[in-house]
Amino acid sequence: MPIFECLCKPHVLTEVTFISLQLTQKVVTHPLFGKALVARYDLPAKYRMAYWGIRGKCASCDVEDRAISFYPPNPVTGSNIDPKVEGGRTLKRNNYNGVLNPGRTGDVIQFAGCPGPDEKQNMRSTFQYYGLRNGIIGGLEFVTLQPVPKNTQLLHWYGSGKSALVVGDLATLFGLHFAFI
């Protein structure tokens, strides 16, 4: 199976672009804790994938959602990485443009969990966003931090108090590998 990488420009985004990037992941149902994202194939370190959704307003705080903040890329360079900052990474806040809501889009990255107490993250978001300011859809790049074997859960950190409720013994019943430290 080929490994897909997102090399698209902000102006050529479509649902097909994002869905084709997600052929290497699959959503599985955990018997107690809902849905989890696992690697469909062995993924190399630094494998790139995109979280994507419909751009819009943030829901009220009492509504659970899987939306993430959207910082559209520079229309000329296609990047949010600031070359004036060491390593290029910056937390610029002046280009905030709502959130990306993955609900009803087919995005599977939304099911990547947050590591629990005995787990470690094996992917992270980058500062590379896709899409146009005030556009309809957008995306955020994620990258694996290490090789991820087939059927291993994909995990990224998204805040304290939101750890995944995954029990390793239950995972082995379903032939899945969870990312334990």
Side-chain angles (χ1 to χ4, degrees), residues 27-99:
V27 177
V28 298
T29 302
H30 191 283
L32 296 177
F33 305 117
K35 295 181 179 181
L37 185 67
V38 298
R40 186 183 302 260
Y41 305 99
D42 291 343
L43 300 178
K46 300 182 183 174
Y47 174 75
R48 298 184 309 162
M49 54 199 122
Y51 176 109
W52 66 285
I54 305 299
R55 193 200 61 79
K57 294 181 180 178
C58 188
S60 66
C61 293
D62 62 337
V63 176
E64 181 181 345
D65 65 24
R66 297 176 183 272
I68 58 170
S69 297
F70 179 53
Y71 298 91
N74 179 301
V76 175
T77 66
S79 177
N80 273 350
I81 296 173
D82 187 346
K84 294 178 271 182
V85 175
E86 184 178 343
R89 304 227 183 318
T90 180
L91 296 176
K92 294 188 308 185
R93 301 265 184 213
N94 61 354
N95 64 334
Y96 176 79
N97 192 219
V99 297

Side-chain angles (χ1 to χ4, degrees), residues 149-161:
K150 178 180 179 176
N151 290 328
T152 298
Q153 184 181 22
L154 291 162
L155 299 167
H156 66 97
W157 179 251
Y158 47 86
S160 61

Side-chain angles (χ1 to χ4, degrees), residues 87-151:
R89 304 227 183 318
T90 180
L91 296 176
K92 294 188 308 185
R93 301 265 184 213
N94 61 354
N95 64 334
Y96 176 79
N97 192 219
V99 297
L100 300 176
N101 188 340
R104 301 184 316 269
T105 63
D107 171 66
V108 296
I109 304 296
Q110 68 177 303
F111 299 110
C114 187
D118 295 323
E119 298 174 315
K120 69 177 191 174
Q121 77 179 52
N122 53 16
M123 62 186 269
R124 69 167 179 81
S125 63
T126 69
F127 287 90
Q128 181 62 55
Y129 289 82
Y130 302 97
L132 298 174
R133 182 168 197 81
N134 299 323
I136 297 172
I137 64 172
L140 170 60
E141 181 182 79
F142 277 78
V143 63
T144 56
L145 299 173
Q146 61 203 37
V148 179
K150 178 180 179 176
N151 290 328

